[in-house]
Amino acid sequence: MSANRRFRNVTRIGPVQVATSHDGRGREKHTAACAAPRCGFSADYDSRAAAELAARTHRCPVR
């Protein structure tokens, strides 16, 4: 899996960033990743709505 992705359509919802990219097979993927220190949350989704829902409902375990 390539770690060098080109992200587009990046938005921020609280501490979580949601972005769109293409995976190694050319399919569109949507990523939600928390930018808070020591959180470590990130996940890939097939739809933008799912990634934004995960960003809205994410609660950082580290405070």
Side-chain angles (χ1 to χ4, degrees):
M1 183 168 154
S2 175
N4 187 11
R5 296 189 195 178
R6 284 186 122 67
F7 291 105
R8 59 186 170 83
N9 198 8
V10 179
T11 59
R12 188 175 187 104
I13 301 172
V16 181
Q17 290 183 338
V18 178
T20 302
S21 66
H22 290 282
D23 66 358
R25 298 180 181 218
R27 295 177 295 208
E28 191 172 69
K29 291 291 182 177
H30 307 277
T31 303
C34 186
R38 295 178 286 137
C39 179
F41 168 76
S42 70
D44 289 333
Y45 298 94
D46 290 331
S47 70
R48 180 79 182 195
E52 289 181 4
L53 178 65
R56 283 184 176 80
T57 59
H58 172 69
R59 298 292 177 253
C60 290
V62 180
R63 292 231 173 218

